[in-house]
Amino acid sequence: MPELQQHILIVDDEPNIRTSLSVVLETAGYKTYACGDITRFFQIMDRYPIDLIFFDIQLEEIDGLRLAQRARNNGYEGLFVFISGHADLEQSAQAIKMGAFDFLQKPVDHQRLLITAQTALATQKNISHIPTRGFDLFSQSHCLQVLKSKALRAAQSDANVFISGESGTGKESLADYMHHHSARSEKPWLKVNCSAFPETLIESELFGYHKGAFTGAHADKIGYFEQADGGMLFLDEIADLSLVAQAKLLRVLESERFKNW
């Protein structure tokens, strides 16, 4: 059962769709809001702490892509998912480029809706698409100066890097530091908590899939590996993956290739 502070906004100009999706999400325990016009959209955004937005990509006043961009420009940092009855690959690519978590096809399957909401909200605090502009977390101790030197050398190479340590020791901060001091600092910087994904979804989230690959795959999905192309991908809690998933991940790291469904 999701926590009450998880607030979802549904933006669609069809009242029946707004009602049906709201009922499904409310029944699952989420707090939902719904609107079909720009004025009401920004009223809700100003008044409530929205964690996730479902955008209809074809609205009467403005398309969902442009409205999502306006929300980003106004400081919204949560996740959003696009919904469409007739989206093309170009729109899907635009949505992914903007950082959309997923792309659902109408009529929306209610089970897929719930899985998408659950997964998005579980990963919201564990995925960052925004480069960290570096801060010096290192003291003057000899050990940390040695670590800093090694991190800088690794950041300037194309090598895969394994960072280990107890929880709270700064593994993610070290990864931020490496990205900031690498040639990829202006490229995508994605941080993914592997333990946040259900076992059945981890492969599609990491590697993506093609439309029609399985029941419910109504549109192409670009995985995190492809989204991070040219930049860096930080995979946290890989030990929580199943042995099968770890073996596939190792194969990708060794071959530097992957195949989506």
Side-chain angles (χ1 to χ4, degrees), residues 36-56:
D37 61 83
I38 298 175
T39 300
R40 180 58 180 157
F41 171 77
F42 284 109
Q43 287 176 346
I44 294 173
M45 295 296 293
D46 289 340
R47 186 175 302 176
Y48 303 104
I50 303 301
D51 301 300
L52 174 65
I53 305 175
F54 285 90
F55 281 108
D56 180 9

Side-chain angles (χ1 to χ4, degrees), residues 57 118 121 124 136-137 146 161 196 221 224 240:
I57 206 167
Q118 177 187 13
L121 291 168
Q124 181 180 20
D136 192 358
L137 75 146
V146 171
V161 178
K221 178 179 177 62
Y224 289 116
D240 289 343

Side-chain angles (χ1 to χ4, degrees), residues 155-157 177-186 232:
Q156 294 163 17
S157 74
Y177 181 87
M178 293 173 63
H179 177 260
H180 177 64
H181 288 86
S182 74
R184 300 179 175 87
S185 60
E186 299 299 328
M232 285 190 178

